[in-house]
Amino acid sequence: MIAVHTLRDATAEITCASCATPVQLHLEELPLGRRADPTEEPGALKNIRVEFRELGVTEQPAGMDGDGEPGASSEDAPRSVRAGSLDGVRTQEDTPEPGQGSLGWVQAGEEAALRRERRSGPEFAEFSEGGWSGRAGGDAAAAAPEGQRGSMLDGHRQGRSEFRWNRDEGRGNNRQDESKLSSSTFPLTGDSTHNHAVVYWTGQNSSVILILTKLYDFHIGSVTESTLWRSADYGTTYERMNDKVGYKTVLSYLYVCPTNKRKIMLLTDPEFESSVLVSTDEGASYQKYRLTFYVLSLLFHPSEEDWALAYSHDQKLYSSVDFGRKWQLIHEHVTPNRFYWSVAGLDKDLDLVHMEAHTQDGNVQYVTCRAQTCSEANRNYPFPGYIDISSLVVQDDYIFIQVPTSGRATYYVSYKRESFIQIKLPKYSLPKDLHIVSTDEKQVFAAVQEWNQNDTYNLYLSDTRGIYFTLAMENVKTTRGIAGNQMLDLYEVAGIKGMLIANKRQDNQVKTYITYNKGRDWRLLQAPATDLDGNDIHCILPFCSLHLQLQTSENPYLSGTISTKSSAPGIIVATGNIGAELSYNNVGMFISSDAGNSWRAIFDEEHNVWFLDKGGALIAVRQPSVPTRHLWVSFDEGVHWTQHSFSSVPLFVDGVLVEAGAQNQIMTFFGHFSHRSEWQLFKIDYKSIFTKKCTEEDYQTWHLHNQGEPCVMGQKQIYMKRRPGNYCMLGKDYSRILSAESCICRAHDFECDYGYERRGDGNCRPAFWFNPSTVSRSCSQGQNYLNSTGYRKVVLNNCTKGVKEMYTARKQQCPNRPPKGLQLTTKDGKLTANLGSNVTFLVHLDEGDSLRTNIQLDFGDGTAVSYSNLSWTEEGIKHVYKSAGIFRVTVLAENTMGFDTTTLFLHVTCPVEHVQLLAPFVVIRNKEVNITAVVLPSHPRTVTYFWWLGNNTEPVVSLDGSIAYTFHSEGMHTITVQVASANVILQDTKTIAVKEFFKSLLLSFSPNLDEFNPDIPEWRQDVGRVIKKALLQVSDFPEEQLLVAVFPGVPTAAELFLLPHKNQSEGKKKSEEELERVCLTMHVALNQNLVEFELKPGVRVIVYNTQLTLAPLVDSSPRHSSSAMLMLLSVVFLGLAVFLIYKFKRKIPWINIYAEVNQEKEQEMIGSVGQGDSTPKITLSEFSTSKELMEKELDARVKREWGFKPCAAVLSELLKINNTITK
């Protein structure tokens, strides 16, 4: 139910509660993406499309009839519903962005424009009285843009017969002689290069028409020229208004205030300047005000004419209380088109704003505040938790949201601003997508795409509160719209309550069904008995029926494929076909004047049909792809049609403005003569087609029925209609419904209740997953509840008595019962929480007496709480964890009848700040070694370790920070550890040398080095290279076999490793002797202070051997001249000491032995870790000191077979002998 929104570039749109809808015309060239040029040859084709600005959030803007006639109320809105591929809760009031689809929404925006067919015919100059010669240069339907009727939908081409453009212009039934209508033409001279226009009639009974034409450069994505035109005489003449707005001002959009049509707002193109121009005299004069932001969309207040909300390109929401002169920031990071004004009678404050806003950490919340005082302190959060993006819908009595969950989608509804309650769909519907279709008849229509559906939706209806949904129809077809959005083939017939028409896919066929009781019962449409020529049509149900296309035009100034009007109840005009299934080939126009009970064919080609004179007359014009100079008018509900001429030259009609309810009868046709001509506006006065004003004798009664059944939605309704053939004008005091009498309730007035399904015998039985004995937990002992019979009356059904008592839920006393269905969740639905944050637990009980059930909640960290009844936990139970870990949270519900318990495991985490990989620098091949990752701060049980060892392609995953590993091949091996905690992942890497054997010495340094030790990996690496260079000065040992590793921390210490040559398999003993010789040489040099380096000018650092006494190996004083003799004696004792140590394997406390990994897996000496700046500064005290390390090594058991003779042990014994002799 989430939607992905794309912000529009250089486009503004307006949505308001009761705005009329202007029209925008687009003229753009099709071939190769080139722009139109006035000097272009006739061969270049152009495409004109009609675009409108939806100015309201009602199903149809006020001031616009359902069939596209300005001036009527929103009750005439066509109930065609669009299904969107977006995951969003959509309504007919919602305003999608370009590229989005929606259910129940007339899409606005540039991409939503209804394109006119390509000009595939010859120039109008080729027209002669004999008619057009040949066809239109090819199939006009083939040239149609994607999404237009005539394009491919579901593998079929939308129906349009071959175009024969003759004097009759298509074939209708019972054509009468042609008469000429009074009309005048006004070309918008000088605007032939402009490819975009907005046409707007300012208001009911107003004579002012505004037209904004623009040149939109598709290469740069902005408007480069614009012209504003104004007519004060219903379109007879127009005045160019550029001098009133500024000759250099480039305008992008035009808006009219919904509650005061005299107020006009113009927006400039932001590529030149960001300004708003305001008029309070129907566009006669303007005042300009600078803006600090670029407006993407506007939302006017439904009752306050000067209040408006503006959404900017950087996702900020602004408010104005002086009609755009000054703007104040409300909130940042607001989701596009997810902001709403207050609803009268429901919200306490008139200036309350509902919005969907993003938090700094990326979550989404439902926020409310007042428009001019929306500081953080004044904001409210009606839903206690986060919601999914683009899921907030505020519509009529309802507010809908979707809550983010790890699995199934969860939807919530608030009825009349009460607390949010989870929506109950059938248990196994498992919706992939849900869209709100409508909410205007005291219940919610929802279209749900379930887990096993791809191109169809199921239609569900709710109870009055919008909580419990039952299935109304399965597999309702969807159709791809112009902007790529999915349109649901569902249509609510205007003027007749409970009447729906839908296209259902069944057994790979699509058929049209009709219902008169809100989906309780459906049936096929009976096909006409005869065709246009009077020939019989043999079409027998259920094998053959009438099928209708159910798409209303996304441009309200074209009628779409189906039209109805509330002021003309029972009249339905639609495009369709006769056969076994819905087809888009060989289609025609059909009409029903008795609410779908019977049908007649009226045209064999597609036409746009509008209602005139409160629906008393019909007007038909050919589709925009065909040029015409005639229109057809019927006064007898489509039985007879008269042809009227409005132009001497055929016109490509892009739209018709029809003013309903005005004292003057004027229509405005707009279009083009050819692809190169200027915009043409035809003002048509159709007053002459009426002979008089209707009197009482001109009316007759009509009884609404369903195949002879007079009771529809529990009422017998009698309407008043004009007698067919009377050319009289109805007038504005015309009354539609004469009487409505309630009927006796029968079975078809009741639908199955939630949890029940209709079986083959027509009765409602419990679904397999539903327990009818379940009683709400709010039902307490001593109270009463309504026990469902399996049925509920159809919402707004007015029947009385009869079987009402049998089917109505019965009042029963609440039983005393044990708790069942106990559930424990967190407020945000997550099983993780940050350390120190406030965790809110929610307790839900399906069954049980909530007022007499004790609740005990154990947080798992040694604390618990208890509540005497469930009502105390409705706002949630809050708790703060003071340590990280995985906690077992348990809740117990208990009363005198029994108990229920459930458990939740909560991961409380804290982000990892540092990680250090601790591993030896050099290890013995085929010997197991311990590798450790030190994490700061420490996170027991909540950290996951990923170990990448050597050339392994998959990591070893563990919950422990230490791992044992054996290297089986010599060489340099890389080890990487990644530590994951909460949303943070850190890593550290180290390279290890693997050898058969090696020698090593521990090094220390003069104290002055510590003063310059920043204790970071880079410094240790650089100093190690300097030490290595200094050691090479006193030895001829190969550089590649010498390794110096500086330890982290202070005092600074290091280890020197002497490695054998790579190829030592043949002479291992010789290599060992060589390493011993070099080890002895290094030791002598270190103790003679011969190894030093310059850290910086004036700072010289001496390198020592750490683990030996500071007494020099060779006395350099002149008193002792027998150094050579002492050395020889030392060598003798050396052999004896080594023999004793390895022979008896005794632990000799005074001998320091450096060992490899012992059998108890003691950790070897570790060195520098990490390669990044993120490594924390850790003092040496956190690691084993040299002394501690030596003490541990005294306990190590060294085995001769590993081939490692500790150089340190030999030298230690040698020193002891040397010191004795010296003394």
Side-chain angles (χ1 to χ4, degrees):
M1 200 171 73
I2 301 179
V4 179
H5 288 78
T6 55
L7 298 181
R8 180 180 334 197
D9 295 330
T11 302
E13 67 182 17
I14 191 167
T15 57
C16 65
S18 56
C19 297
T21 305
V23 168
Q24 299 186 4
L25 307 178
H26 292 262
L27 175 62
E28 61 184 47
E29 185 183 0
L30 297 179
L32 304 178
R34 293 180 293 116
R35 285 192 298 122
D37 186 88
T39 62
E40 205 167 27
E41 292 298 320
L45 299 179
K46 296 179 182 177
N47 176 50
I48 294 181
R49 62 183 183 179
V50 180
E51 180 176 312
F52 69 94
R53 277 297 139 195
E54 179 56 55
L55 303 184
V57 291
T58 55
E59 299 91 42
Q60 179 78 8
M64 181 67 57
D65 283 339
D67 50 286
E69 298 174 5
S73 66
S74 59
E75 65 178 352
D76 297 331
R79 307 299 188 196
S80 178
V81 182
R82 285 159 175 75
S85 59
L86 303 176
D87 294 330
V89 183
R90 289 288 192 190
T91 70
Q92 291 174 333
E93 293 73 13
D94 207 356
T95 309
E97 289 290 324
Q100 298 174 358
S102 65
L103 287 180
W105 171 243
V106 180
Q107 177 138 357
E110 187 166 338
E111 283 73 14
L114 179 61
R115 297 185 176 94
R116 195 174 85 185
E117 306 291 349
R118 292 187 184 182
R119 311 302 193 218
S120 53
E123 294 293 332
F124 72 90
E126 300 175 14
F127 176 78
S128 64
E129 289 299 320
W132 294 91
S133 58
R135 295 185 186 173
D139 187 2
E146 181 182 357
Q148 176 69 315
R149 289 182 301 278
S151 61
M152 296 296 291
L153 291 176
D154 295 342
H156 301 284
R157 182 163 301 284
Q158 286 192 337
R160 180 176 290 108
S161 54
E162 306 262 338
F163 296 135
R164 301 177 180 86
W165 296 344
N166 52 37
R167 194 173 294 176
D168 290 334
E169 294 194 28
R171 184 176 168 215
N173 59 341
N174 298 302
R175 296 190 300 274
Q176 305 297 320
D177 294 336
E178 177 180 327
S179 62
K180 177 73 174 179
L181 287 175
S182 174
S183 65
S184 62
T185 306
F186 188 91
L188 301 184
T189 306
D191 286 354
S192 60
T193 61
H194 288 192
N195 53 11
H196 188 177
V198 180
V199 182
Y200 196 93
W201 204 318
T202 59
Q204 185 175 354
N205 299 327
S206 173
S207 63
V208 175
I209 299 177
L210 296 172
I211 300 176
L212 174 62
T213 66
K214 301 176 289 184
L215 174 59
Y216 185 86
D217 192 324
F218 294 95
H219 297 287
I220 64 176
S222 64
V223 178
T224 58
E225 297 178 14
S226 67
T227 304
L228 180 65
W229 301 84
R230 182 178 186 270
S231 173
D233 51 11
Y234 291 98
T236 303
T237 60
Y238 287 85
E239 175 188 4
R240 189 187 291 262
M241 301 292 293
N242 284 29
D243 59 332
K244 303 293 179 60
V245 299
Y247 284 106
K248 295 184 179 181
T249 300
V250 179
L251 303 175
S252 58
Y253 291 99
L254 178 154
Y255 304 121
V256 176
C257 176
T259 53
N260 184 352
K261 302 300 178 61
R262 294 182 58 83
K263 292 188 174 182
I264 312 295
M265 188 181 294
L266 298 172
L267 291 179
T268 62
D269 191 277
E271 293 295 327
F272 296 89
E273 61 175 319
S274 185
S275 300
V276 60
L277 289 90
V278 174
S279 173
T280 57
D281 52 9
E282 289 189 287
S285 61
Y286 294 89
Q287 294 175 310
K288 181 185 286 188
Y289 299 91
R290 292 282 184 178
L291 297 176
T292 59
F293 58 93
Y294 164 38
V295 178
L296 282 181
S297 60
L298 293 176
L299 179 67
F300 285 109
H301 195 276
S303 59
E304 296 295 323
E305 62 186 53
D306 289 335
W307 293 7
L309 300 177
Y311 186 77
S312 70
H313 66 289
D314 54 356
Q315 297 186 320
K316 295 180 180 179
L317 186 64
Y318 296 83
S319 68
S320 174
V321 293
D322 54 5
F323 200 68
R325 293 170 177 82
K326 291 182 296 184
W327 296 90
Q328 180 173 327
L329 178 64
I330 296 180
H331 205 294
E332 297 180 343
H333 308 298
V334 177
T335 304
N337 299 307
R338 297 298 168 176
F339 48 90
Y340 308 84
W341 279 112
S342 61
V343 178
L346 294 174
D347 294 307
K348 181 175 64 174
D349 298 315
L350 196 62
D351 62 343
L352 188 72
V353 178
H354 304 262
M355 72 191 100
E356 183 182 292
H358 298 246
T359 62
Q360 292 183 351
D361 55 0
N363 293 309
V364 181
Q365 290 180 303
Y366 167 31
V367 184
T368 62
C369 65
R370 302 187 67 174
Q372 295 293 302
T373 57
C374 195
S375 62
E376 181 61 40
N378 295 322
R379 294 171 185 167
N380 295 311
Y381 302 89
F383 182 76
Y386 300 126
I387 67 175
D388 275 330
I389 187 172
S390 300
S391 69
L392 174 65
V393 172
V394 180
Q395 175 59 46
D396 295 328
D397 293 340
Y398 307 91
I399 300 177
F400 303 93
I401 59 169
Q402 178 181 333
V403 174
T405 55
S406 57
R408 306 175 187 174
T410 306
Y411 309 96
Y412 285 81
V413 62
S414 169
Y415 177 65
K416 291 188 174 181
R417 305 304 186 263
E418 296 175 356
S419 298
F420 280 91
I421 299 177
Q422 184 175 343
I423 288 177
K424 298 293 185 180
L425 291 166
K427 186 173 183 179
Y428 296 107
S429 65
L430 306 179
K432 295 189 298 184
D433 191 20
L434 182 146
H435 295 264
I436 302 303
V437 175
S438 68
T439 58
D440 59 344
E441 292 189 347
K442 303 301 181 182
Q443 69 177 151
V444 181
F445 281 61
V448 177
Q449 188 172 63
E450 301 188 6
W451 64 274
N452 57 350
Q453 293 178 308
N454 294 317
D455 59 350
T456 60
Y457 281 72
N458 289 349
L459 180 65
Y460 285 89
L461 300 180
S462 76
D463 59 350
T464 302
R465 294 171 56 83
I467 300 173
Y468 294 98
F469 284 78
T470 58
L471 182 65
M473 173 173 271
E474 291 183 302
N475 296 319
V476 180
K477 175 185 174 292
T478 60
T479 302
R480 182 70 60 183
I482 294 171
N485 57 304
Q486 290 290 101
M487 299 186 296
L488 188 69
D489 279 18
L490 174 69
Y491 187 87
E492 287 187 74
V493 178
I496 300 180
K497 183 173 56 180
M499 185 175 175
L500 302 168
I501 303 176
N503 285 329
K504 179 180 179 180
R505 185 181 297 278
Q506 187 174 14
D507 299 329
N508 294 323
Q509 289 185 326
V510 176
K511 298 186 178 184
T512 301
Y513 290 82
I514 191 170
T515 179
Y516 294 84
N517 53 8
K518 282 195 171 183
R520 198 283 190 190
D521 302 292
W522 296 86
R523 64 173 174 83
L524 296 169
L525 299 180
Q526 179 64 58
T530 61
D531 61 15
L532 284 173
D533 296 325
N535 301 318
D536 291 339
I537 298 177
H538 301 284
C539 186
I540 301 175
L541 294 173
F543 309 103
C544 175
S545 60
L546 175 65
H547 308 283
L548 305 179
Q549 299 176 25
L550 302 179
Q551 293 84 45
T552 57
S553 174
E554 297 188 12
N555 171 11
Y557 297 103
L558 295 176
S559 63
T561 60
I562 185 168
S563 298
T564 58
K565 185 176 175 64
S566 60
S567 59
I571 299 180
I572 308 172
V573 184
T575 302
N577 69 282
I578 299 172
E581 62 176 326
L582 178 66
S583 172
Y584 294 94
N585 297 314
N586 301 320
V587 300
M589 298 294 297
F590 299 88
I591 189 171
S592 174
S593 57
D594 58 0
N597 287 282
S598 63
W599 296 82
R600 299 187 307 275
I602 55 175
F603 296 104
D604 60 3
E605 296 178 0
E606 291 185 70
H607 285 64
N608 283 288
V609 179
W610 295 272
F611 293 84
L612 295 179
D613 188 32
K614 295 284 185 181
L618 299 174
I619 176 176
V621 179
R622 301 187 85 180
Q623 285 291 344
S625 60
V626 183
T628 184
R629 57 190 181 92
H630 301 112
L631 56 85
W632 297 83
V633 179
S634 175
F635 285 88
D636 53 7
E637 299 173 346
V639 177
H640 300 88
W641 294 84
T642 57
Q643 181 175 291
H644 300 268
S645 173
F646 66 88
S647 173
S648 59
V649 177
L651 178 75
F652 289 98
V653 178
D654 295 317
V656 178
L657 297 170
V658 181
E659 174 86 307
Q663 294 301 318
N664 43 38
Q665 286 70 42
I666 294 176
M667 296 183 295
T668 298
F669 280 48
F670 51 89
H672 284 73
F673 288 136
S674 73
H675 72 280
R676 294 187 304 172
S677 69
E678 298 163 325
W679 301 100
Q680 303 290 331
L681 291 104
F682 282 79
K683 172 187 174 183
I684 301 174
D685 190 341
Y686 59 87
K687 187 185 301 182
S688 60
I689 64 177
F690 297 103
T691 58
K692 62 174 183 176
K693 186 174 182 179
C694 294
T695 62
E696 187 175 347
E697 291 76 18
D698 295 314
Y699 295 100
Q700 67 179 16
T701 60
W702 171 71
H703 296 255
L704 174 65
H705 65 94
N706 175 14
Q707 291 186 318
E709 170 57 55
C711 290
V712 177
M713 289 293 288
Q715 280 186 326
K716 295 180 180 179
Q717 302 177 48
I718 302 176
Y719 294 84
M720 212 164 49
K721 286 187 176 183
R722 180 171 46 197
R723 294 182 184 275
N726 288 353
Y727 286 67
C728 63
M729 188 182 302
L730 294 178
K732 61 181 181 180
D733 56 349
Y734 167 63
S735 177
R736 299 187 296 270
I737 300 180
L738 185 62
S739 66
E741 177 186 350
S742 295
C743 299
I744 299 298
C745 289
R746 289 181 291 175
H748 62 252
D749 295 312
F750 292 82
E751 62 188 2
C752 291
D753 203 353
Y754 174 77
Y756 290 80
E757 298 174 339
R758 192 172 301 280
R759 302 300 171 85
D761 58 2
N763 294 321
C764 296
R765 304 295 185 204
F768 74 93
W769 50 265
F770 182 71
N771 181 9
S773 63
T774 300
V775 181
S776 172
R777 62 180 177 83
S778 61
C779 187
S780 183
Q781 187 175 5
Q783 298 177 343
N784 295 322
Y785 75 101
L786 294 177
N787 186 17
S788 175
T789 62
Y791 300 85
R792 68 185 186 190
K793 193 165 76 167
V794 176
V795 176
L796 296 184
N797 186 293
N798 293 316
C799 72
T800 59
K801 301 180 180 179
V803 299
K804 181 178 180 180
E805 185 176 351
M806 180 189 305
Y807 288 121
T808 302
R810 299 179 178 90
K811 183 181 293 186
Q812 295 184 1
Q813 191 172 20
C814 296
N816 191 12
R817 59 207 183 281
K820 287 185 179 181
L822 184 64
Q823 300 175 30
L824 177 64
T825 60
T826 58
K827 183 182 70 171
D828 56 7
K830 299 179 180 179
L831 296 178
T832 61
N834 292 328
L835 180 64
S837 64
N838 214 332
V839 183
T840 302
F841 294 96
L842 301 178
V843 179
H844 175 77
L845 189 64
D846 287 338
E847 298 182 47
D849 189 342
S850 62
L851 296 181
R852 290 174 170 80
T853 299
N854 177 267
I855 301 296
Q856 300 178 28
L857 182 61
D858 186 345
F859 297 110
D861 62 348
T863 59
V865 293
S866 178
Y867 297 90
S868 60
N869 61 68
L870 196 63
S871 61
W872 292 100
T873 67
E874 291 181 354
E875 298 298 324
I877 304 172
K878 297 182 179 180
H879 184 66
V880 177
Y881 287 89
K882 298 181 180 179
S883 61
I886 303 176
F887 297 92
R888 180 189 182 102
V889 186
T890 304
V891 61
L892 171 69
E894 187 177 20
N895 61 20
T896 57
M897 300 294 295
F899 70 93
D900 194 8
T901 183
T902 187
T903 300
L904 176 151
F905 293 93
L906 183 70
H907 292 240
V908 179
T909 61
C910 181
V912 175
E913 297 178 4
H914 301 289
V915 59
Q916 276 191 317
L917 181 60
L918 307 182
F921 296 104
V922 184
V923 299
I924 302 300
R925 185 172 68 89
N926 292 328
K927 184 66 176 178
E928 192 175 71
V929 61
N930 286 341
I931 304 169
T932 302
V934 177
V935 174
L936 294 177
S938 177
H939 291 75
R941 299 188 302 162
T942 63
V943 174
T944 304
Y945 299 85
F946 300 87
W947 305 90
W948 302 84
L949 304 168
N951 297 322
N952 294 348
T953 58
E954 294 293 332
V956 177
V957 182
S958 71
L959 298 178
D960 191 2
S962 182
I963 188 173
Y965 188 74
T966 301
F967 294 92
H968 299 289
S969 61
E970 291 190 75
M972 303 303 293
H973 293 261
T974 300
I975 299 177
T976 298
V977 63
Q978 289 184 323
V979 178
S981 179
N983 295 324
V984 177
I985 296 180
L986 297 180
Q987 79 173 33
D988 195 7
T989 302
K990 186 174 182 182
T991 300
I992 293 180
V994 179
K995 296 294 180 180
E996 251 340 289
F997 56 90
F998 62 89
K999 310 295 181 183
S1000 68
L1001 286 172
L1002 294 178
L1003 306 178
S1004 61
F1005 307 92
S1006 54
N1008 58 347
L1009 180 60
D1010 296 339
E1011 300 176 9
F1012 303 96
N1013 185 354
D1015 200 13
I1016 60 176
E1018 292 87 345
W1019 184 89
R1020 291 193 288 269
Q1021 292 176 8
D1022 291 337
V1023 169
R1025 285 194 296 269
V1026 174
I1027 298 170
K1028 182 177 180 180
K1029 185 182 296 184
L1031 290 170
L1032 291 173
Q1033 298 297 322
V1034 298
S1035 173
D1036 57 353
F1037 199 65
E1039 180 180 357
E1040 63 272 11
Q1041 294 177 239
L1042 192 66
L1043 175 63
V1044 176
V1046 181
F1047 301 144
V1050 290
T1052 309
E1055 187 168 7
L1056 169 63
F1057 294 94
L1058 303 175
L1059 307 179
H1061 191 270
K1062 292 181 180 179
N1063 187 13
Q1064 49 80 41
S1065 58
E1066 296 180 357
K1068 178 178 179 181
K1069 183 175 181 181
K1070 182 178 180 180
S1071 297
E1072 290 180 348
E1073 294 174 353
E1074 174 66 16
L1075 292 185
E1076 290 177 359
R1077 182 188 67 78
V1078 176
C1079 181
L1080 182 60
T1081 302
M1082 292 289 185
H1083 169 74
V1084 172
L1086 289 171
N1087 281 276
Q1088 291 290 336
N1089 296 340
L1090 299 179
V1091 180
E1092 62 178 6
F1093 60 90
E1094 187 176 53
L1095 184 66
K1096 58 188 300 185
V1099 179
R1100 299 196 65 81
V1101 179
I1102 301 175
V1103 184
Y1104 303 102
N1105 187 350
T1106 301
Q1107 64 186 138
L1108 299 181
T1109 176
L1110 294 180
L1113 179 63
V1114 178
D1115 196 341
S1116 58
S1117 64
R1119 292 179 300 165
H1120 302 279
S1121 58
S1122 56
S1123 299
M1125 182 60 67
L1126 292 176
M1127 180 63 71
L1128 291 175
L1129 291 175
S1130 299
V1131 172
V1132 174
F1133 284 100
L1134 170 63
L1136 179 61
V1138 171
F1139 173 78
L1140 291 175
I1141 294 172
Y1142 285 95
K1143 178 67 176 176
F1144 300 103
K1145 301 180 181 179
R1146 299 178 56 189
K1147 297 182 179 180
I1148 305 175
W1150 47 270
I1151 295 182
N1152 293 319
I1153 300 176
Y1154 183 86
E1156 325 102 293
V1157 181
N1158 58 37
Q1159 293 180 357
E1160 289 78 23
K1161 299 182 182 179
E1162 291 183 9
Q1163 181 62 53
E1164 296 183 68
M1165 184 58 193
I1166 48 84
S1168 60
V1169 297
Q1171 303 298 322
D1173 294 333
S1174 61
T1175 305
K1177 185 170 183 177
I1178 303 177
T1179 62
L1180 191 61
S1181 60
E1182 298 183 28
F1183 300 93
S1184 298
T1185 63
S1186 300
K1187 182 177 180 181
E1188 293 171 345
L1189 181 62
M1190 294 304 107
E1191 291 176 352
K1192 292 181 180 179
E1193 290 169 351
L1194 291 177
D1195 297 328
R1197 292 177 296 174
V1198 183
K1199 294 186 177 181
R1200 184 185 303 274
E1201 57 266 30
W1202 294 111
F1204 172 71
K1205 292 186 177 181
C1207 180
V1210 176
L1211 294 177
S1212 179
E1213 177 66 13
L1214 181 61
L1215 263 182
K1216 186 176 185 300
I1217 298 172
N1218 178 68
N1219 290 340
T1220 303
I1221 296 174
T1222 302
K1223 292 180 180 179

